[in-house]
C-alpha cells in the first residue's frame, strides 16, 4: 500500500463514528477535576529535550529509548512530550503560577509520544488525562488526588479496577533501600539481563520492574521499600492510607510498585484493570516533591496522575459500558427545486442559530435522494418544503421513527414547537 495512505505504526485515527466515546470521557474527567478545584492547563506538544532528561530522568526507559527527539532548523534538540508532568511543571515555574495561592491544582488532556513496541493498549501516540497539584506536602492531598482518579473511574461506571499504592520514600530512605537492593541483586549478577546490570549501578529500584522472566524471578525475595522508610515517610504513608479509608477508597499496598519515571517520592499508585490484557495500568501517578526544584523552581511539593484514555475506552468497550449518546440530527428539511431549497436553507440557518442540528440539501440531490439521506443520517424529524408550504407558511414535521406527522406553522412559533417535540422524544 502507498505509504501516504497508511498511518505510522503505533498511531490511531479517532474516527467520527467513535468520537462520542472521547467526548464522554473528556466531559466526565474535566467535570470531576473541576469539582476538586482543578483548572485546565495546556502546554506545548514539544519541549526542549533537556526538560525530560532532567525531569523524567535520564536512566528511565522513556528517556533512554522511547523519546521522539529531533533537531529543529536551528539545531536545538526538541522532544515530543512523552508525558504531561514535566511540561506542566515547566509551565508553572515559567509563568509564575507557583507564586499564587497554593495549592495550585491543574488538569490537562494531552497527546503523548513514546517510541514503544506497539501492541494492544500500547501506542506510540496516545492520549492522557492528567492532574498535577503543586504546593502541598500534606498526606490529605495525596488522598485527594487519588480520589479524583477514583471518581472519574466511578463516574464512567467502569468495574474491576483495583488501586495499588506504595511509598518509595524520600531520597534519604531510598539511599538505604538502594544499598539493600544492590546487595541483594549482586548475587545474581551473572544471570541479570544487560539492562538490569546497568540498572544495578544507576537505578536499582528499576530492577523490580524488569519484564525478563529471569530477572522477574528474583523479585519475590527482594528487599521491600516499606521496610526502609524513614520515620517521616512512614508517617506520611500511614496518613495517606487513613485518608483513603476515610474517603471509602479501597486499595491494596503493593511494595513492588516503583514506577518507570524518576521523579517520584513517597506515594506512588496505579489503577489496574484485568480486562484489557497485559497493558492493564489505566491510570498511574504519585508525588514528586523534588521535581519543581530539579526543573529550576523553588522547592515546591507536587503530585498528580495521568490516565491513559485509549486504555480507559478499551475497558469501557470490553465491559459494554454506556457512553454519552452521540448528538442526532434534529431536523432534515427536504426541498423540490432551487427556490424551495433557498427557503429551506434560510430556515436551517435560523434553527442552527438556536442550537438545533438542522440540515438541508447542499449537494443538488433529487428529492428522493434527499429523503434517503435523511434516513441514513438518522434524522429525528424530517420536513418537506415545496411551493405549497412556502405559500401557506405551513408544513408537516414527520417523526422518522414512526412516521407520525405534526402540522406546524413556519412563523415565530416554529422554533418553540420543534423544541417541544424534540424534548418529548428525549
Ligand atoms: P505513566 O505511567 O508513564 O505516567 O503513564 C500514565 C498512563 O498513561 C498509563 O497508566 C497508561 O494508562 C497510559 N500510557 C502510558 N504509556 C502508554 C502507551 N504507550 N500507550 C497507551 N497508553 C499509555 C505518566 O505519564 C506520569 N506523567 C503520570 C503522573 C502525572 N505522575 C504524576 N503526575
Amino acid at each position: 500500500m502507498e505509504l501516504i495512505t497508511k498511518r505510522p505504526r503505533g498511531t490511531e485515527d479517532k474516527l467520527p463514528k467513535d468520537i462520542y466515546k472521547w467526548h464522554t470521557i473528556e466531559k466526565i474527567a474535566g467535570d470531576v477535576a473541576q469539582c476538586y478545584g482543578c483548572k485546565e492547563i495546556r502546554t506545548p506538544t514539544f519541549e526542549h529535550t533537556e526538560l525530560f532528561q532532567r525531569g523524567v530522568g535520564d536512566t528511565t526507559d522513556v528517556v533512554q529509548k522511547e523519546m521522539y527527539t529531533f533537531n529543529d532548523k536551528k539545531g536545538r534538540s526538541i522532544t515530543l512530550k512523552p508525558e504531561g508532568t514535566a511540561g506542566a511543571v515547566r509551565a508553572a515555574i515559567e509563568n509564575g503560577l507557583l507564586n499564587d495561592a497554593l495549592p495550585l491544582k491543574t488538569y490537562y488532556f494531552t497527546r503523548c509520544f513514546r517510541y514503544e513496541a506497539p501492541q494492544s493498549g500500547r501506542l506510540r501516540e496516545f492520549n492522557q488525562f492528567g492532574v498535577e497539584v503543586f504546593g502541598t506536602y500534606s498526606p490529605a492531598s495525596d488522598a485527594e488526588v487519588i480520589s479524583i482518579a477514583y471518581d472519574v473511574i466511578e463516574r464512567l461506571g467502569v468495574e474491576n479496577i483495583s488501586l495499588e499504592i506504595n511509598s518509595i520514600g524520600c531520597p534519604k530512605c531510598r539511599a538505604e533501600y538502594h544499598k539493600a537492593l544492590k546487595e541483594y541483586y549482586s548475587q545474581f549478577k551473572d544471570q541479570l539481563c544487560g539492562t538490569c546490570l546497568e540498572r544495578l549501578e544507576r537505578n536499582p529500584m528499576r530492577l523490580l520492574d524488569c519484564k525478563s522472566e529471569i530477572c522477574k524471578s528474583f523479585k519475590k525475595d527482594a528487599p521491600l521499600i516499606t521496610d526502609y522508610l524513614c520515620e517521616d515517610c512512614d508517617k506520611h504513608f500511614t496518613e495517606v492510607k487513613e485518608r483513603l479509608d476515610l474517603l471509602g477508597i479501597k486499595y491494596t499496598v503493593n511494595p513492588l510498585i516503583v514506577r518507570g519515571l524518576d521523579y517520584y517520592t513517597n506515594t506512588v499508585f496505579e489503577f489496574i484493570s484485568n480486562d484489557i490484557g497485559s497493558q492493564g495500568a489505566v491510570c498511574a501517578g504519585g508525588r514528586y516533591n523534588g521535581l519543581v526544584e530539579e526543573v529550576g523552581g523553588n522547592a515546591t511539593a507536587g503530585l498528580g496522575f495521568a490516565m491513559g484514555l485509549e486504555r480507559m475506552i478499551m475497558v469501557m468497550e470490553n465491559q459494554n459500558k454506556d457512553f454519552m449518546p452521540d448528538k442526532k440530527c434534529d431536523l432534515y428539511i427536504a426541498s423540490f427545486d432551487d427556490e424551495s431549497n433557498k427557503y429551506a436553507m434560510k430556515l436551517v440557518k435560523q434553527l442552527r442559530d438556536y442550537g438545533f442540528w438542522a440540515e438541508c440539501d447542499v449537494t443538488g440531490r433529487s428529492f428522493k435522494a434527499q429523503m434517503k439521506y435523511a434516513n441514513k443520517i438518522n434524522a429525528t424529524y424530517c420536513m418537506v418544503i415545496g411551493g405549497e408550504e412556502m405559500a401557506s407558511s405551513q408544513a408537516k414535521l414527520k417523526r422518522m421513527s414512526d412516521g407520525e406527522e405534526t402540522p406546524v406553522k413556519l412563523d415565530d412559533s416554529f422554533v418553540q414547537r420543534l423544541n417541544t417535540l424534540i424534548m418529548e422524544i428525549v
Side-chain angles (χ1 to χ4, degrees), residues 177 180-182 184-185 208 219 221-225 227-228 255-256:
Y177 182 52
L181 273 177
K182 267 188 182 174
Y184 170 77
Y185 274 102
L208 298 171
K219 206 160 70 169
D221 295 322
L224 298 176
I225 178 71
D227 296 328
Y228 289 81
L256 294 174

Side-chain angles (χ1 to χ4, degrees), residues 143-162:
E144 192 176 72
V145 162
I146 291 173
S147 180
I148 299 176
Y150 186 88
D151 282 4
V152 171
I153 290 167
E154 265 217 339
R155 288 268 295 274
L156 290 170
V158 176
E159 292 154 78
N160 297 329
I161 290 192
S162 52

Side-chain angles (χ1 to χ4, degrees), residues 62 82-85 108 114 116 121-124 126-128 131-132 259 261 263-264 270 281-286 288 303-311:
V62 169
E83 56 97 58
T85 310
Y108 54 83
R114 294 185 194 176
E116 295 194 78
R122 197 206 276 150
L123 294 156
R124 289 182 173 168
F126 59 97
N127 287 269
Q128 285 185 344
V131 164
E132 312 294 350
R259 307 283 299 124
L261 314 169
Y263 46 61
Y264 291 109
E270 290 180 353
V282 288
C283 175
Y288 45 82
L303 69 162
F305 67 81
M307 186 176 279
L309 298 186
E310 281 83 359
R311 289 186 193 177

Side-chain angles (χ1 to χ4, degrees), residues 93-329:
I93 299 169
E94 184 171 347
N95 297 287
L97 307 185
L98 301 173
N99 306 328
D100 292 343
L102 296 177
L104 167 70
K105 301 183 185 183
T106 64
Y107 74 95
Y108 54 83
F109 295 96
T110 188
R111 286 162 189 251
C112 298
F113 305 86
R114 294 185 194 176
Y115 194 84
E116 295 194 78
Q119 65 175 82
S120 172
R122 197 206 276 150
L123 294 156
R124 289 182 173 168
E125 182 190 23
F126 59 97
N127 287 269
Q128 285 185 344
F129 157 67
V131 164
E132 312 294 350
V133 171
F134 301 95
T136 164
Y137 290 92
S138 160
S141 61
D142 300 54
E144 192 176 72
V145 162
I146 291 173
S147 180
I148 299 176
Y150 186 88
D151 282 4
V152 171
I153 290 167
E154 265 217 339
R155 288 268 295 274
L156 290 170
V158 176
E159 292 154 78
N160 297 329
I161 290 192
S162 52
L163 166 63
E164 297 188 357
I165 63 170
N166 189 21
S167 172
I168 56 169
C170 63
K172 201 171 79 191
C173 36
R174 219 176 305 155
E176 286 300 304
Y177 182 52
H178 279 173
K179 220 156 73 189
L181 273 177
K182 267 188 182 174
E183 228 172 85
Y184 170 77
Y185 274 102
S186 291
Q187 58 181 314
F188 309 115
K189 239 178 170 169
D190 48 349
Q191 297 170 68
L192 292 176
C193 72
T195 318
C196 278
L197 274 177
E198 203 185 303
R199 286 172 174 151
L200 194 59
E201 291 314 314
R202 298 187 65 196
N203 194 352
M205 239 164 42
R206 301 280 313 131
L207 282 155
L208 298 171
D209 233 10
C210 186
K211 303 286 177 283
S212 117
E213 286 305 321
I214 295 187
C215 300
K216 253 186 358 199
S217 69
F218 303 136
K219 206 160 70 169
K220 64 179 191 320
D221 295 322
L224 298 176
I225 178 71
T226 29
D227 296 328
Y228 289 81
L229 294 180
C230 65
E231 210 182 315
D232 284 351
C233 290
D234 193 43
K235 185 163 172 276
H236 184 96
F237 193 38
T238 302
E239 287 179 18
V240 172
K241 289 182 279 186
E242 282 170 8
R243 291 285 173 146
L244 290 174
D245 293 337
L246 179 83
L247 296 174
I249 295 175
K250 294 205 167 51
Y251 57 85
T252 50
V253 174
N254 177 356
L256 294 174
I257 296 183
V258 292
R259 307 283 299 124
L261 314 169
D262 270 358
Y263 46 61
Y264 291 109
T265 54
N266 298 95
T267 317
V268 288
F269 56 91
E270 290 180 353
F271 287 86
I272 315 276
S273 163
N274 292 319
D275 291 341
I276 52 169
S278 63
Q279 303 302 309
V282 288
C283 175
R287 186 169 269 286
Y288 45 82
N289 288 341
L291 183 58
V292 174
E293 211 176 356
E294 184 68 41
V295 173
N298 297 328
T300 309
L303 69 162
F305 67 81
M307 186 176 279
L309 298 186
E310 281 83 359
R311 289 186 193 177
M312 272 311 287
I313 288 179
M314 265 171 77
V315 178
M316 289 181 73
E317 286 172 343
N318 286 356
Q319 294 182 2
N320 285 321
K321 291 297 165 196
D322 287 336
F323 292 91
M324 275 171 0
D326 213 356
K327 219 169 137 59
K328 263 181 86 176
C329 173

